[in-house]
Amino acid sequence: MVEYQAYFDVVIIGGGHAGAEAAWAVSRLLAGRGTVAMVTMDSTAIGRMSCNPAIGGLAKGQIVREIDALGGLMGHAGDAAGIQFRVLNRSKGPAVQSPRAQADKYCYSAVVQTLLRDYCGNLSIVSGIVDELRAEPSAADNNESSRAWSITGVKLQAGPIFGCRCVVLTTGTFLRGLMHTGEKKTRGGRVDEPAALGLSLSLRRLGIELGRLKTGTPPRVAAESIDFSDLPVQPGDEPPEPFSDLSGTPDSPLAARFPVLPQVPCHITWTNQRVHDLIRDNLHRAPLYSGQIQSRGPRYCPSIEDKVVRFADKTRHQIFLEPEGLKTNEIYCNGISTSLPVDVQEQMVRGVKGLEKAKILRWGYAVEYDFAPTHQIDASLQTHRVRGLFLAGQINGTSGYEEAAGQGQIAGINAARLVRGEPPFVLGRDEAYIGVMIDDLITKTPTEPYRMFTSRAEYRLSLRSDNADQRLTPLARRIDMAEPARLRRLEEKLAALQRLLAASRAARLSGGSNAYDLLRRPDVQIDQLGDAEFVAGGEFKAMLADPVLRPLLRQVQTEARYAAYIEREKQVAARMRQMEDKVIPERFDFTTMFQLPKEAREALEKFRPRTIGQASRLAGITPADLTILLLCLSGPRR
């Protein structure tokens, strides 16, 4: 019989963005009911921004707002550590506008660690490396007997064995991580941090299939060595828009804990033809092109080597020079991720305008790591094969802090719900970008690091950042993730929106139209309404002058202008929901459905969709296949 050194209901492996969000969710949902442990190599690195020092961005900003609406921590940390806030795509439609914040990376990790330490009383943080997952064959009478194994514990490299009911695996780039800078190869998931080697073997023993992916990071340079005098400045928004609905209020868990940070600008520069020629001349030394790296990197965040090769007609590529913090001289060179040798990197950086005398503080590198192809998980992020094993973050083939945090939150919620004996919490494609991401993962295995874009969401006009709380906080209340203060603020917001809507319709012009009619017109801006001559509309005029109501007025305008399109999205979503509600039994044997083509049977058996809707999105499944599947599910098979 195994002798455990400690027992926890849930063990979270990894302290990155997925691990931190999972720990926050599990701790809150098991408060007074159970315990949780986070096992991480270095407790001082929890929440570390190992790549770009920023939170949010195109589609990613919506994910951060959704995490916050569901009671998560990323929005709090992003607001507390933000040193420049911008809403991207302001000149475009509301469906593609996204909040982003440049962050002080040292402050960000400090905030995450403070939140976990001070608000998670049932969380134990353990420094160590997990070498092995312990599991036993699932009981024959188990309700989920299609899962061959059940998690029983984890074994640390140093020897201790922890018993547990669930594991949330968030290994980032550490799972057999291998870093490349030119011909030099180093074992590790981050600079000066070792790789996790034993877990891959343990996963394979449990029948989990693994693959390899690659990501990279650019060089960092010293701020004092950059000539900013002739470089374009990129300022932030004034006033900045926060991620969290509770930021700046007494209800924030960080109220009076962290001061508001000064806002700073970023700068822009570009590569040039001379730099491109240098890169081309040294492609034989680049691991991506020499054959040293075999795995696929992110198509939508390519290295500078990839950019020069794939976009040979471009004479320059943009570089954003982004401060990594207020008390550090590190500047992140966003746009030139590279694994070229250091001598080439040095020439490349110094060939860029403003960086002629740059002092390089850290060289760029690429990192290869193991991931688990995602046909092996369901929409709760639990693996099909192992009961109690949840995967979140880069182990699922995604890239980005926000994608990882969104998965960590859902995996943590569902691990806690499994412990509590409750059904899984699943978000639909029409409910959240997080739902779109997870559905994409479980119906289309990534062959390259997955990144969220607004174009992936077919209901993006309804999935805006300004209504994340309206979409998801009621769901958070249902699963015990919403604080009373958050619910109160949502009620106040909804009441204010109703007052604005009523006042805009009551504010009449002499011609018979009203302010609401003006808001619907694409050629009318909110600021112009202040000059309009209303026959009646004193209350609306007063609301226009209130800066607190300005974001809500923009939301009223969006809802007014796009009402027909939003209604159409709702109708399409309702029709799709009918397919999502048709559940496929967990133990259904697709291999015996000889009425289906072999390709369809293989796809269904590989991904094991839980609904007809999920099945419809699998590659190789036709409408005719769905008809046969529905017939088989609705009555005796012939």
Side-chain angles (χ1 to χ4, degrees), residues 496-506 516 540 543 556 559-560:
L497 284 170
Q498 287 300 316
R499 290 197 306 273
L500 269 171
L501 188 61
S504 69
R505 285 175 167 153
Y516 183 79
F540 185 68
M543 288 179 164
V556 169
E559 298 282 350

Side-chain angles (χ1 to χ4, degrees), residues 61-73:
Q62 279 90 328
I63 291 178
V64 181
R65 289 278 296 131
E66 290 173 355
I67 291 169
D68 182 71
L70 287 170
L73 63 75

Side-chain angles (χ1 to χ4, degrees), residues 236-462:
D237 291 343
E238 187 56 46
E241 290 189 17
F243 289 111
S244 176
D245 293 316
L246 298 183
S247 288
T249 75
D251 300 314
S252 168
L254 296 172
R257 301 286 295 277
F258 288 85
V260 176
L261 296 182
Q263 301 296 286
V264 300
C266 297
H267 291 79
I268 302 172
T269 186
W270 289 267
T271 60
N272 51 56
Q273 195 60 58
R274 185 161 60 91
V275 168
H276 294 186
D277 291 340
L278 171 71
I279 292 169
R280 289 190 188 96
D281 290 343
N282 287 276
L283 283 176
H284 63 287
R285 301 180 63 196
L288 279 173
Y289 290 89
S290 67
Q292 183 173 310
I293 290 178
Q294 299 291 327
S295 50
R296 291 282 298 275
R299 188 193 334 172
Y300 301 105
C301 188
S303 67
I304 188 62
E305 300 97 285
D306 267 346
K307 289 180 183 178
V308 168
V309 171
R310 287 167 48 193
F311 308 106
D313 59 320
K314 300 289 185 183
T315 58
R316 67 178 191 172
H317 293 287
Q318 200 168 48
I319 304 171
F320 296 93
L321 301 176
E322 301 173 339
E324 296 213 331
L326 298 176
K327 297 180 180 179
T328 178
N329 66 341
E330 299 166 280
I331 299 293
Y332 181 90
C333 299
N334 189 350
I336 52 171
S337 171
T338 184
S339 59
L340 285 162
V342 295
D343 60 305
V344 181
Q345 288 192 43
E346 185 171 34
Q347 294 178 67
M348 176 184 73
V349 170
R350 291 182 176 171
V352 173
K353 183 178 181 179
L355 304 181
E356 294 87 352
K357 298 180 180 179
K359 176 185 176 184
I360 300 178
L361 301 174
R362 189 192 304 173
W363 305 106
Y365 64 90
V367 57
E368 289 184 288
Y369 54 93
D370 283 351
F371 85 108
T374 47
H375 60 270
Q376 302 172 101
I377 56 174
D378 62 23
S380 74
L381 300 183
Q382 186 176 195
T383 59
H384 292 306
R385 188 165 179 81
V386 186
R387 176 178 167 84
L389 176 59
F390 295 81
L391 309 182
Q394 284 176 289
I395 193 171
N396 284 335
T398 60
S399 66
Y401 306 146
E402 302 80 6
E403 289 91 339
Q407 292 171 71
Q409 182 178 46
I410 298 302
I413 288 171
N414 282 314
R417 287 178 69 82
L418 186 60
V419 169
R420 288 168 52 159
E422 297 169 345
F425 174 70
V426 174
L427 289 171
R429 296 183 71 91
D430 60 324
E431 292 177 307
Y433 270 85
I434 296 173
V436 173
M437 170 179 62
I438 293 175
D439 186 71
D440 281 351
L441 291 176
I442 65 174
T443 58
K444 305 173 186 68
T445 298
T447 57
E448 62 189 23
Y450 175 99
R451 180 179 178 181
M452 177 52 72
F453 292 102
T454 53
S455 58
R456 296 189 189 273
E458 59 269 47
Y459 308 113
R460 54 187 170 273
L461 193 52
S462 301

Side-chain angles (χ1 to χ4, degrees), residues 42 131 141 157 186 199 328 365 443 508 521 565 617:
D42 179 2
D131 243 4
D141 60 349
Q157 195 177 74
T186 308
L199 262 179
T328 178
Y365 64 90
T443 58
R508 290 183 292 104
R521 290 172 47 179
Y565 298 98
R617 293 186 288 275

